[in-house]
Amino acid sequence: MAITKLTSDQLYRKCDPAKFDFNTTADLEERLSALGQDRAIHAVELGIHIKSRGYNLFCLGPEGTGKTSLVKRILEKEAKNRKTPEDWAYVYNFDEPYKPIAMSFPAGQAVEFAKDVDELLDELSDSLPEIIESEEYKAALGIIRQKYKAKKEEYINVLQKKAKGKRVSLLHMQMGLVVAPMKDGEVLSPDAFEQLPENEKKLVMDDLNAMQEEIENATQDLPRWEEKQKHEITVLREKFVRSAVKDPIDALRKKYKSQQPSRFLKQIQDNILNNIDDFVPTDSDRQAAAAGAEEDPLHQLLSRMKQPEEDKFAKFKVNVIVKNVPDSGAPIVTLDYPTQGNLVGKVERIQQYGALLTDFTLIKAGALHKANGGFLLLDARKVLEQPYAWDSLKRAIASKRIKIEAPSEETSFTTISLDPEPIPLDVKVVLTGDFEIYELLSERDPDFRDFFKVEADFGVIMDRNAENEVEYAKLIGSLSKKKQLRSLNKQAVARVIEYASRMADDACKLTAHISSIGDLLREADYWARVSNSKQIGKNHIDQAIEAQIYRSDRIKKSMLEEIGKGTILMDVKGEKVGQINGLVVYDFGRYSFGKPARITTQVRIGKGDFVDIEREISMSGPIHTKGVLILKSLISNRFAKHSPLSLSASIVFEQSYGGVDGDSASSTEYYCMVSAITGVPIKQSIAVTGSINQFGEIQPIGGVNEKIEGFFDVCSYEGLSGTQGVIIPRTNVDNLMLRADIVQAVEEGRFSIYAIDTVDDGIEILTGKKAGERDRRGNYPKGSVNYMVEENLRQYYKDYAKYAKETLGCL
């Protein structure tokens, strides 16, 4: 058992600028690797080099530690040495149009292939319609038509000969050949025919019927002639189209000899030849176009207002979704907005005439497509916030395929869409997130550990030693250069290192929260600019720190004013029984501060009940409740081993209107309880923090700097008397990085800080009396505080036994 009154040297660990062999950070070499993250770096390098399934990474650590930047640097170094992955494109599926085909190319070739196909289609769209306008085609077409025209004329001449000498005439009408009665070389009208004598009329009718029969017999050959003529014209058109299509397509097939592009080009050729009428206008199309040109202006306007004609060549295009630069290494993709579509790709739709339409050219790549063959960085929290994104990512990793999924597939709505062919996946996924997200996924998702087998744990602190202080100086210099800030002199660097220890809450550690250091440098650069300084000095760092505190300490100042006015009851002088000053920490975002809290205790005879008033009204957290139970166990173990603990006690944080949690006040509550039991007053000029175990040992707590500063501010506000101070656990001494005004006050003897090991040490400081230790017979020295506790508890037992006997008659 020992009590140590700390000296000013123990309250703040300074950084000596003389240890640095530079004048400003501009003289330092840039530090690219992270400081104090060796364990995480080892894990990342392990994860990216193991190719087995499931060896994806989860980079674990709070925001601001620079984990994403560090991982990117490691990946960039590795990506340069890896093969550049293939390009990917989607093309039309001629067999199943709603299932576009995925096609791969060596890096850089997909765009070139798509460009060549576009040029081919432009060429064909110009050359195919011009076929029927060529002189060669017209000449061949004229020969076919002339041949069948001659046959028709021969057929008519034969009929004319048969009609010769008969009382009929053959007339050429629009509907074909027509037989009409004739007399004296002239065609008879119906009226004239009716006026003929009956015998002559009969002879004419016989000739008409005979000639009509001849015509019907001859015209049976006409449809066959028409079919043969159409067939010959079709063969002629196919010959000219094949000649126009085959040569340019064959040239491309020689350039792209791999199976998929060559097969696709052959399918384009076959599709054009099998659907020539879609690409080469017929005679009827030309006649309709010519007739349309002669339409009146109204008809022309209505024609233009009709739905535009479908582009027959559109389905031959190539939709490149992934294009890589040759010899550029593996891709590194960071996705900031990981919706399902942005992750695994999507099929877009366009609105046209009140309908939603889509085709394979509207397929858009997702981040997995772009990162295929490389690395994909995702923020785990953002992925979990997006509907279906996490499940889609897991399916892709499990199947090693990227399947574009429409959101409607996961809902009750059904729409007609495309089903693009899945693409093989080979990617290393790197998730980043904090410990809460990691624990959530580990506990709630049974697949998580199978898919993300490597955990890269980024720490928030590092050791503060001579070597790391020099390396930290390089880090500060790198940050100032990266952010284009003024350089820092060595005194400013030393002050930043001290600030980094304060952020780490440990004089022997430095914070790895690089974002906060970067913010401090930016603000210090502002103050240097305001003062027209070319360098950032120690005074500018101090100004930045003071400005940060000033922006956030409104509530703290208000509380001090309330204490000063007496609205918040607080004694920092004198002595009180059953009353003590505990210490609490308030967190407001990035700013936290300490404040004393009055704790009071009342005791009376009873059955050993300890009433935690905060707990009774559900304002106490589980850790605070645990502390109260440990307090009860400690008192029972020390003073009531051989008899019942015959008292009831109530403990409360006075004027506490918010929740209370943590066990850092358990030692404080012990002292207050002892004071209430014994009637020995406690010095109100001393505040206490520290947790206890069942053996009365003082355990470390958090926020020790803020707690000391909070009580010091109240004492300063009321006026320092030289008797005021704070009791802390000895194990927290290394955490001290206190403000300069506190260090000065301790040095001048106006404020004290005590480090203790056990509750008995604290009793001695707070009461001015010895706590007392048991002798060989197990008795405490008379007059000691522990003796008085034990005697009073015995008296409580006697009083309770007497009360029970008198009122209940049971003892």
Side-chain angles (χ1 to χ4, degrees):
M1 181 173 67
I3 300 171
T4 302
K5 189 174 182 180
L6 301 181
T7 64
S8 58
D9 293 338
Q10 295 175 284
L11 307 183
Y12 190 86
R13 180 179 173 183
K14 294 182 179 180
C15 178
D16 186 3
K19 70 174 65 175
F20 300 129
D21 59 356
F22 60 86
N23 292 320
T24 71
T25 52
D27 304 331
L28 294 172
E29 62 181 14
E30 189 171 355
R31 180 179 178 85
L32 298 177
S33 61
L35 187 59
Q37 303 292 1
D38 296 341
R39 181 180 290 102
I41 292 173
H42 173 76
V44 172
E45 291 178 345
L46 174 75
I48 64 178
H49 286 102
I50 294 182
K51 306 295 183 183
S52 302
R53 177 182 174 182
Y55 277 85
N56 298 295
L57 293 102
F58 192 103
C59 295
L60 169 65
E63 292 295 326
T65 55
K67 58 181 181 294
T68 302
S69 300
L70 172 60
V71 171
K72 280 185 178 180
R73 287 200 297 271
I74 297 174
L75 296 182
E76 286 168 359
K77 182 179 178 181
E78 174 65 20
K80 290 178 182 178
N81 301 321
R82 293 201 176 187
K83 177 185 174 183
T84 304
E86 297 175 322
D87 292 347
W88 285 93
Y90 275 105
V91 296
Y92 184 76
N93 189 336
F94 294 93
D95 298 325
E96 297 181 85
Y98 284 96
K99 294 185 176 182
I101 296 172
M103 191 179 295
S104 63
F105 297 85
Q109 282 195 14
V111 173
E112 184 179 356
F113 179 72
K115 182 181 178 182
D116 288 342
V117 170
D118 285 343
E119 291 176 354
L120 169 67
L121 299 181
D122 289 341
E123 178 183 345
L124 294 180
S125 64
D126 292 336
S127 63
L128 292 181
E130 292 176 355
I131 287 176
I132 61 175
E133 301 296 336
S134 67
E135 295 298 327
E136 185 180 0
Y137 177 80
K138 288 180 178 179
L141 182 64
I143 292 172
I144 295 173
R145 287 177 174 170
Q146 187 61 36
K147 181 174 70 172
Y148 287 97
K149 182 180 179 182
K151 287 188 176 185
K152 286 182 181 180
E153 289 175 351
E154 181 182 354
Y155 149 75
I156 293 173
N157 289 335
V158 170
L159 291 177
Q160 289 285 10
K161 288 178 181 179
K162 290 183 178 181
K164 197 170 184 179
K166 298 183 184 290
R167 298 175 181 84
V168 295
S169 175
L170 291 177
L171 302 179
H172 294 275
M173 306 296 287
Q174 186 174 1
M175 64 191 71
L177 292 175
V178 177
V179 183
M182 184 179 69
K183 184 179 181 180
D184 299 330
E186 293 184 1
V187 176
L188 295 175
S189 66
D191 293 338
F193 176 77
E194 291 296 330
Q195 293 176 4
L196 292 176
E198 288 298 325
N199 59 340
E200 188 175 353
K201 189 186 294 185
K202 183 176 181 303
L203 292 174
V204 172
M205 285 300 299
D206 290 341
D207 288 343
L208 284 171
N209 291 333
M211 197 65 215
Q212 186 65 38
E213 186 176 352
E214 289 287 343
I215 291 174
E216 289 177 358
N217 291 334
T219 55
Q220 290 179 0
D221 294 331
L222 284 178
R224 291 196 295 273
W225 293 348
E226 291 292 337
E227 288 176 6
K228 287 181 180 179
Q229 180 180 356
K230 287 181 180 180
H231 177 69
E232 289 188 24
I233 292 175
T234 299
V235 171
L236 177 67
R237 292 171 70 226
E238 184 177 337
K239 175 184 175 182
F240 275 81
V241 171
R242 184 182 298 276
S243 176
V245 171
K246 188 174 185 301
D247 291 343
I249 287 183
D250 284 349
L252 281 183
R253 292 182 70 186
K254 289 180 181 179
K255 181 177 179 181
Y256 300 97
K257 295 181 180 180
S258 56
Q259 182 180 358
Q260 283 186 309
S262 179
R263 181 171 178 268
F264 175 65
L265 292 169
K266 182 66 168 59
Q267 287 178 322
I268 292 178
Q269 177 178 314
D270 294 343
N271 188 267
I272 293 176
L273 294 177
N274 293 334
N275 302 277
I276 291 178
D277 290 344
D278 291 340
F279 303 96
V280 180
T282 61
D283 289 344
S284 59
D285 293 333
R286 292 169 55 204
Q287 293 170 3
E294 297 176 0
E295 287 180 351
D296 61 76
L298 178 60
H299 282 85
Q300 293 181 11
L301 177 62
L302 292 174
S303 298
R304 287 195 297 269
M305 293 176 62
K306 291 180 180 178
Q307 184 171 342
E309 187 177 349
E310 179 185 357
D311 181 3
K312 302 295 183 181
F313 291 94
K315 61 185 175 184
F316 302 144
K317 291 182 176 294
V318 178
N319 179 17
V320 179
I321 63 168
V322 177
K323 48 187 176 182
N324 293 302
V325 178
D327 301 322
S328 61
I332 301 172
V333 176
T334 302
L335 184 60
D336 292 325
Y337 185 47
T339 62
Q340 183 191 38
N342 290 344
L343 191 60
V344 299
K346 55 190 172 183
V347 180
E348 294 183 340
R349 295 171 175 81
I350 57 174
Q351 187 173 12
Q352 192 174 77
Y353 296 97
L356 290 176
L357 305 179
T358 189
D359 59 49
F360 74 96
T361 63
L362 295 175
I363 297 174
K364 304 299 179 184
L368 283 171
H369 294 95
K370 298 173 184 176
N372 202 3
F375 308 95
L376 175 61
L377 276 77
L378 298 168
D379 185 314
R381 186 180 297 274
K382 292 180 180 178
V383 174
L384 294 175
E385 287 173 349
Q386 298 300 324
Y388 316 121
W390 176 247
D391 289 335
S392 294
L393 176 63
K394 289 198 301 178
R395 279 194 292 270
I397 294 174
S399 65
K400 292 189 175 183
R401 300 189 312 163
I402 313 171
K403 177 174 172 55
I404 296 177
E405 304 168 342
S408 59
E409 294 178 9
E410 303 286 345
T411 66
S412 59
F413 300 101
T414 302
T415 59
I416 298 177
S417 185
L418 301 181
D419 184 18
E421 180 184 5
I423 289 176
L425 177 64
D426 178 20
V427 69
K428 187 72 68 174
V429 179
V430 181
L431 289 181
T432 61
D434 55 28
F435 184 78
E436 179 185 1
I437 291 294
Y438 182 79
E439 284 296 300
L440 174 68
L441 289 171
S442 298
E443 293 175 5
R444 301 296 180 86
D445 191 334
D447 301 324
F448 173 67
R449 291 189 181 274
D450 291 333
F451 293 148
F452 294 89
K453 294 184 177 181
V454 181
E455 170 194 338
D457 189 358
F458 285 79
V460 294
I461 58 173
M462 65 191 77
D463 291 336
R464 180 180 173 182
N465 51 43
E467 180 183 354
N468 279 353
E469 285 185 344
V470 173
E471 292 301 316
Y472 212 86
K474 293 179 183 178
L475 176 63
I476 293 168
S478 299
L479 287 173
S480 64
K481 291 174 184 176
K482 181 181 178 180
K483 302 177 188 305
Q484 298 181 339
L485 307 176
R486 290 166 174 77
S487 60
L488 288 76
N489 61 32
K490 61 174 65 178
Q491 290 77 18
V493 170
R495 182 66 183 93
V496 173
I497 289 175
E498 294 168 359
Y499 174 80
S501 276
R502 172 58 189 263
M503 284 199 64
D505 275 331
D506 196 326
C508 300
K509 301 290 183 181
L510 295 169
T511 183
H513 198 268
I514 307 304
S515 177
S516 296
I517 300 299
D519 292 342
L520 177 66
L521 295 182
R522 289 189 191 94
E523 294 174 27
D525 182 74
Y526 163 77
W527 292 111
R529 186 170 72 249
V530 169
S531 63
N532 295 319
S533 176
K534 294 181 180 180
Q535 293 179 353
I536 298 175
K538 178 179 179 296
N539 59 316
H540 302 129
I541 299 295
D542 287 332
Q543 280 182 287
I545 295 172
E546 291 168 4
Q548 287 179 348
I549 296 172
Y550 177 74
R551 292 195 300 269
S552 306
D553 71 347
R554 179 185 61 82
I555 296 176
K556 174 183 175 181
K557 295 296 184 184
S558 297
M559 287 185 174
L560 285 175
E561 291 177 2
E562 295 298 316
I563 292 173
K565 292 190 296 184
T567 305
I568 297 177
L569 301 178
M570 185 67 56
D571 294 320
V572 293
K573 297 176 183 178
E575 297 179 343
K576 291 286 182 69
V577 173
Q579 177 179 305
I580 193 170
N581 288 324
L583 295 170
V584 297
V585 175
Y586 291 86
D587 287 311
F588 291 92
R590 294 178 60 181
Y591 179 68
S592 59
F593 64 90
K595 184 186 88 65
R598 175 181 284 183
I599 300 173
T600 60
T601 302
Q602 294 288 340
V603 296
R604 56 203 171 276
I605 62 171
K607 299 179 180 180
D609 300 323
F610 279 49
V611 178
D612 176 6
I613 294 179
E614 265 76 25
R615 179 187 178 187
E616 294 297 315
I617 58 174
S618 300
M619 288 177 61
S620 170
I623 299 177
H624 178 261
T625 300
K626 175 186 176 183
V628 174
L629 294 176
I630 291 174
L631 164 64
K632 179 180 178 181
S633 174
L634 173 60
I635 291 178
S636 299
N637 181 61
R638 277 195 155 199
F639 306 111
K641 273 191 174 184
H642 306 294
S643 61
L645 187 62
S646 303
L647 88 163
S648 292
S650 58
I651 306 170
V652 68
F653 279 72
E654 302 288 0
Q655 292 183 289
S656 172
Y657 307 107
V660 175
D661 202 6
D663 63 350
S664 64
S666 56
S667 66
T668 314
E669 292 166 336
Y670 174 84
Y671 302 137
C672 195
M673 182 76 68
V674 168
S675 173
I677 293 172
T678 62
V680 176
I682 289 175
K683 297 175 183 177
Q684 301 300 296
S685 58
I686 305 293
V688 182
T689 185
S691 69
I692 56 173
N693 60 26
Q694 295 186 99
F695 301 102
E697 296 170 328
I698 303 296
Q699 302 172 143
I701 44 83
V704 65
N705 291 294
E706 289 81 359
K707 290 176 178 178
I708 294 173
E709 290 170 354
F711 188 66
F712 177 83
D713 289 336
V714 173
C715 293
S716 297
Y717 196 86
E718 297 288 330
L720 292 175
S721 63
T723 61
Q724 295 145 334
V726 176
I727 298 174
I728 66 170
R730 186 179 303 280
T731 46
N732 279 120
V733 173
D734 285 343
N735 300 112
L736 296 179
M737 286 294 291
L738 294 169
R739 291 194 321 242
D741 55 343
I742 299 178
V743 175
Q744 183 179 353
V746 170
E747 190 170 354
E748 295 173 354
R750 295 183 294 119
F751 194 78
S752 301
I753 298 174
Y754 304 93
I756 63 172
D757 297 299
T758 68
V759 290
D760 289 342
D761 298 337
I763 287 290
E764 186 173 332
I765 297 171
L766 291 167
T767 65
K769 299 178 180 294
K770 292 290 184 180
E773 294 184 23
R774 292 188 184 276
D775 57 22
R776 285 180 298 178
R777 296 182 179 181
N779 299 320
Y780 287 112
K782 289 186 178 181
S784 67
V785 175
N786 288 338
Y787 175 83
M788 286 187 279
V789 173
E790 194 169 60
E791 287 299 311
N792 284 351
L793 289 178
R794 285 175 182 169
Q795 186 60 46
Y796 280 146
Y797 173 69
K798 293 177 181 178
D799 293 344
Y800 181 75
K802 180 181 178 182
Y803 169 79
K805 184 177 182 180
E806 292 176 352
T807 57
L808 302 177
C810 60
L811 287 174

